Amino acid sequence: MSDAAKKLLTGIILVLAGGAAIGWLYGRPEIGLLIAALFALIWQVRQLLNFDKALRTDDFEDFRYGEGIWEQMFSRFSFERERASRRKNAYRQLLREIRKSTNAMPDGAVILNEENEIVACNRAAKALAGLKRKKDRGQRVDNILRDPELTSLLQADDKSRTVEIASPVVDGNWLNCRVVPYGADQKLLLLRDVTDRMRLSKMRRDFVANASHELRSPLTVISGYLDSLADDEQMPPGWVKPVEQMQGQAKRMRQILGELLELSRLEGAGTVEEDEYVDVSALLERAKLAFEGHANIADIEVSAQSTARLSGSAAEIETVIVNLLSNAVRFTPNDGEITLTWRSNSDGADLVVTDTGEGIDPEFIPRLTERFFRIDKGRSREEGGTGLGLAIVKHVLARHDAELIITSEPGEGSEFRCHFPAKRVVVAPPVALS
Ligand code: ADP
């Protein structure tokens, strides 16, 4: 018990005892005690009311000095108030520093709530995406930055995924967007200006496309002369083999240029919007028939487990099938087996090419879709591979919102699974009205 509390109790006891003693003198000690108790109570209530008034008016003059319990309560109260105010100032300062640093960031940062409504944003978000801190607070960010890619990113909840959207502020500028979960049920949308990177990659794409295009004409002329030479019956016998080799190399160059042009086209385009309902099972059957014509290849089986159609481009899906199947054929011995599967469920659909061939070392799997990446360059070249097939597959799949999942074990075969999201799968294609 504090000294002040002890003093208060002693005072009350003394007053009560005094009251009782005076009452006793008059022959009624209980009345004396009652009056003294009333007096003590009134005095304490008065002090309480005074303290309440002091709290409301912030005038503690009456409680500033003295050693009673009320004075002590005042000094504790002012100590706590000062501490709270110091803490508040420190937080305010910290907040100011955080705001200053987020405003100094070159990247845009937007705090979103669960409904993707803007809670706060920094200065860069205004400069990059035109977001207004006060006016746009509480608005859905996908209503302000209208881009289907961004909408799907916000729905996906995948912090490793990023999308590029056109800047709503400067024509021709590009923003890279990433969503990071933040706090409880909040997200941080990060915006980065990637205009230079996009320009550079467009320049690279244009250069490859132009160079491939320019090389095509001279190559056609060279191939033409080589074909005439090969057909010339008076050609010296020593020339036959070199001309044949030149023809083979010219054919390979034509193939590489064709695939480079195809890659540039795919890279430059967005997602496929065509409303073609692709009959994947039929394409698998067609690919099987085309390849079965080749001598000495593994058995090819088609396993059509779904009648669902795929919304996309039939020509591009056929390219995927042909590329995957030609790889499977090349890397599977004659006594092996290749299975082409089409299946679907509520998660989407899978086009799977499985082989019992030589398999792939796990360390190479992440690099297979890089341009010109081949595990055994010499062998791939000999077999007519360009190293561009899986890069093309990856791009076509990206255009169909799909991904390529490769699983393989050396010596056990490989599985190349193309996973299409449910939105690309049409279970009952609409019947055309005539
Ligand atoms: P390539 O024209 O060389 O086939 P791709 O891009 O199609 O180029 O394939 C890249 C590399 O991936 C191949 O060179 C090969 O090493 C490996 N690969 C692709 N498919 C298979 C497969 N089914 N089995 C084993 N290795 C494969």
Side-chain angles (χ1 to χ4, degrees):
M1 195 185 292
S2 71
D3 285 351
K6 275 185 203 151
K7 223 165 139 189
L8 176 73
L9 275 178
T10 325
I12 291 176
I13 292 168
L14 281 178
V15 168
L16 294 180
I22 293 170
W24 182 72
L25 283 180
Y26 290 93
R28 299 293 296 270
E30 71 281 6
I31 300 285
L33 186 71
L34 194 68
I35 291 173
L38 260 176
F39 174 75
L41 184 68
I42 289 170
W43 193 78
Q44 288 304 325
V45 169
R46 199 175 140 260
Q47 286 293 82
L48 182 69
L49 292 176
N50 280 347
F51 199 79
D52 173 61
K53 188 175 161 209
L55 277 178
R56 278 186 283 113
T57 56
D58 208 21
D59 176 10
F60 287 92
E61 209 42 49
D62 293 348
F63 297 95
R64 215 171 279 279
Y65 310 103
E67 286 163 9
I69 193 133
W70 293 99
E71 286 79 4
Q72 212 178 57
M73 269 167 64
F74 162 67
S75 70
R76 165 135 311 148
F77 166 76
S78 36
F79 173 74
E80 289 297 337
R81 191 166 63 169
E82 239 165 68
R83 194 155 75 168
S85 136
R86 267 201 311 274
R87 223 179 260 164
K88 204 158 112 185
N89 279 344
Y91 282 139
R92 209 174 273 156
Q93 181 65 22
L94 186 69
L95 201 70
R96 227 175 276 140
E97 292 299 324
I98 293 174
R99 193 171 288 161
K100 254 201 271 175
S101 63
T102 52
N103 279 340
M105 260 165 51
D107 294 346
V110 190
I111 300 176
L112 303 174
N113 65 14
E114 225 180 337
E115 259 69 62
N116 294 326
E117 288 161 352
I118 299 174
V119 176
C121 64
N122 68 350
R123 210 168 276 159
K126 181 178 174 196
L128 293 173
L131 297 180
K132 291 170 203 85
R133 217 178 283 178
K134 288 201 179 119
K135 200 172 143 248
D136 292 337
R137 188 175 295 157
Q139 304 260 18
R140 279 185 66 118
V141 72
D142 42 351
N143 278 346
I144 301 171
L145 304 175
R146 288 178 175 275
D147 191 297
E149 293 275 326
L150 179 65
T151 309
S152 86
L153 182 76
L154 289 167
Q155 284 162 358
D157 235 359
D158 176 0
K159 65 177 171 192
S160 63
R161 203 179 131 200
T162 64
V163 297
E164 270 82 39
I165 63 168
S167 157
V169 180
V170 185
D171 232 13
N173 276 13
W174 287 88
L175 299 178
N176 173 274
C177 312
R178 181 190 291 267
V179 175
V180 187
Y182 159 81
D185 304 330
Q186 290 197 324
K187 299 172 207 172
L188 196 61
L189 170 65
L190 297 170
L191 304 166
R192 172 170 292 181
D193 188 340
V194 285
T195 312
D196 287 346
R197 201 182 79 198
M198 294 293 274
R199 257 186 218 142
L200 221 75
S201 85
K202 185 173 181 307
M203 269 166 62
R204 177 183 61 88
R205 246 185 358 252
D206 288 351
F207 172 77
V208 173
N210 289 338
S212 313
H213 202 76
E214 290 298 323
L215 285 171
R216 260 186 160 180
S217 316
L219 194 61
T220 312
V221 176
I222 293 171
S223 297
Y225 279 120
L226 284 174
D227 290 346
S228 315
L229 266 178
D231 290 343
D232 188 351
E233 281 166 11
Q234 282 157 21
M235 188 170 56
W239 283 29
V240 174
K241 198 143 178 69
V243 168
E244 250 174 39
Q245 274 176 353
M246 282 192 273
Q247 268 185 311
Q249 292 302 321
K251 185 176 161 212
R252 222 175 99 68
M253 273 168 77
R254 269 204 310 277
Q255 195 185 338
I256 294 175
L257 291 180
E259 290 188 3
L260 276 176
L261 276 169
E262 174 71 356
L263 255 178
S264 305
R265 183 186 72 79
L266 292 170
E267 275 184 324
T271 48
V272 176
E273 307 251 325
E274 286 105 296
D275 264 345
E276 243 181 294
Y277 295 110
V278 184
D279 184 349
V280 179
S281 306
L283 291 183
L284 292 179
E285 287 290 352
R286 200 154 88 185
K288 170 185 149 114
L289 275 179
F291 274 83
E292 270 177 349
H294 297 104
N296 292 332
I297 63 161
D299 252 9
I300 304 175
E301 284 298 320
V302 172
S303 166
Q305 300 170 16
S306 166
T307 53
R309 303 284 167 101
L310 186 72
S311 162
S313 153
E316 289 187 12
I317 297 300
E318 186 158 25
T319 306
V320 167
I321 297 172
V322 168
N323 271 309
L324 294 180
L325 183 53
S326 79
N327 280 347
V329 166
R330 277 166 44 215
F331 296 101
T332 309
N334 306 349
D335 56 354
E337 209 168 279
I338 298 167
T339 315
L340 309 173
T341 309
W342 174 238
R343 57 174 187 241
S344 66
N345 59 27
S346 55
D347 269 355
D350 289 324
L351 187 173
V352 197
V353 178
T354 325
D355 65 58
T356 58
E358 59 194 63
I360 305 158
D361 203 315
E363 73 169 296
F364 296 124
I365 292 181
R367 300 198 54 197
L368 292 186
T369 55
E370 284 174 23
R371 291 156 177 244
F372 295 114
F373 180 81
R374 284 153 293 180
I375 297 169
D376 182 343
K377 270 204 165 95
R379 179 177 155 197
S380 164
R381 244 183 238 133
E382 261 170 40
E383 291 173 351
T386 58
L388 293 169
L390 290 179
I392 292 179
V393 168
K394 184 177 136 189
H395 277 93
V396 169
L397 293 182
R399 271 164 59 74
H400 287 78
D401 311 303
E403 54 178 336
L404 179 65
I405 301 139
I406 306 169
T407 30
S408 184
E409 281 283 333
E412 301 284 325
S414 316
E415 179 189 277
F416 287 76
R417 178 161 72 94
C418 312
H419 178 72
F420 297 87
K423 65 175 179 182
R424 285 273 172 189
V425 183
V426 187
V427 176
V431 180
L433 297 174
S434 53

